[in-house]
Amino acid sequence: MNVLYGIGFVVACLIALLMTPLVKRFAFWVGAVDAPNHRKVHSRIMPRLGGLAIFIAFVGAYFVVSPAVQSDVALGLLVGGAIIVLVGALDDRFDLSPRIKLLGQIIAACVVVYSGVVIDLVNVPFGDTMISLTWLSVPLTIFWIVGVTNAINLIDGLDGLSAGVSGIAITTILVLALMMGNVTVVLLSVILLGSIIGFLFYNFHPAKIFMGDSGALFLGFALATLSILGFKQSIVLSLLVPIMILGVPISDTLFAILRRWVNKTPISKPDKSHLHHCLLQLGFSHRLTVLIIYGIASIFGASAVLLSYMSEQEVIWGMVLLIVVLIAILVLGAEAIGIISQTKKPVLRSLQKIRVLLSARSRMTK
């Protein structure tokens, strides 16, 4: 089986390496290009549609390893992924409306649900029992898939950022799937990782091609699906591990929603205050900004793996501690770099007032 994993990875990587230059020419030919504007970091016209190369590599490698892959859920991922890639490719060329893109994402999610991929059980906090979601299973699964799909798309703002963060997330899923002996998830994760790495050869800074919505939406869709496949049977981990694995895109999305609510702007309105924008504004270089976010994504992934090594009793307290620490870091970091607001920083100001009071009290006691 290890040989099959290696073959799937190599085949996916090679197909992505070979197909990306062809997709680049095709993107220029059909006019699927990304022109610079006030929100974009790049300064020249760039070809999009890179997601086609990732998807073609994924499909090609899948048929090589398909004898060992559970057919129903894998085919659901392929068919749903094809719908997502088609919607993304059309958006790369014609700039579809958000409603049409959302409709396409829901249809793709329904395909996956129909294939049998659903979140049907959730762990009861501080207990070892599971509750059935019954009629909530389908809407929750669709919400999860659509949410993660768009979260990955939102962080696609720098060369290699979305692909790299997705690669780190899929590596974490791969490691945990290996630990649980989930062959289907391992094989699908391996070929997806190979597809991403092959594409990153052309997408890391300075990029020669962008993945576009065709790539970002597909990666988000695949990650959401594989996270359900990998952990819906887990009693202790439940949905916590997938959320932690996808911590960077999920937190950036939540901060974007909060930021637009604080500033009283439409939630769907694009801005230039995402995590990568804020780091660039602090003076970090393009490449260093991407590497910093890779590091943050790796911390989330390592935390998920750490939880999986704990016993059920240890997970309860480990989960609480990790959540408290991660939330504190996220909130303080978000206020420090201004990802929510450049002026409204209540937590930091409260800490500053406490520090001043403690300092004053210390001087009085001397």
Side-chain angles (χ1 to χ4, degrees), residues 47-121:
R48 294 195 278 194
L49 287 180
L52 286 179
I54 297 174
F55 183 67
I56 292 171
F58 181 78
V59 173
Y62 165 76
F63 284 110
V64 173
V65 302
S66 58
V69 179
Q70 184 179 340
S71 59
D72 289 343
V73 295
L75 286 176
L77 176 57
L78 288 178
V79 175
I83 295 172
I84 281 287
V85 171
L86 176 61
V87 171
L90 290 173
D91 184 60
D92 288 340
R93 175 59 185 86
F94 300 107
D95 291 325
L96 302 179
S97 70
R99 290 184 179 180
I100 294 178
K101 288 197 293 184
L102 179 60
L103 177 61
Q105 293 165 22
I106 292 174
I107 292 173
C110 288
V111 170
V112 170
V113 169
Y114 181 77
S115 72
V117 181
V118 291
I119 304 170
D120 49 9
L121 297 173

Side-chain angles (χ1 to χ4, degrees), residues 214-296:
S214 57
L217 293 179
F218 171 65
L219 289 181
F221 177 79
L223 284 170
T225 303
L226 289 174
S227 66
I228 298 172
L229 279 175
F231 308 104
K232 72 173 184 175
Q233 302 294 335
S234 176
I235 294 177
V236 176
L237 303 181
S238 190
L239 282 178
L240 177 63
V241 166
I243 290 173
M244 292 184 68
I245 291 171
L246 299 164
V248 168
I250 288 176
S251 60
D252 194 45
T253 300
L254 292 176
F255 283 135
I257 293 172
L258 181 59
R259 177 173 64 251
R260 291 162 192 175
W261 179 75
V262 169
N263 296 320
K264 297 180 180 179
T265 58
I267 291 178
S268 60
K269 183 180 180 181
D271 58 30
K272 204 171 182 179
S273 298
H274 288 284
L275 174 60
H276 53 278
H277 292 131
C278 292
L279 291 175
L280 287 173
Q281 291 164 10
L282 288 175
F284 294 107
S285 67
H286 190 126
R287 181 169 295 190
L288 184 55
T289 295
V290 171
L291 293 176
I292 289 172
I293 299 177
Y294 282 3
I296 297 172

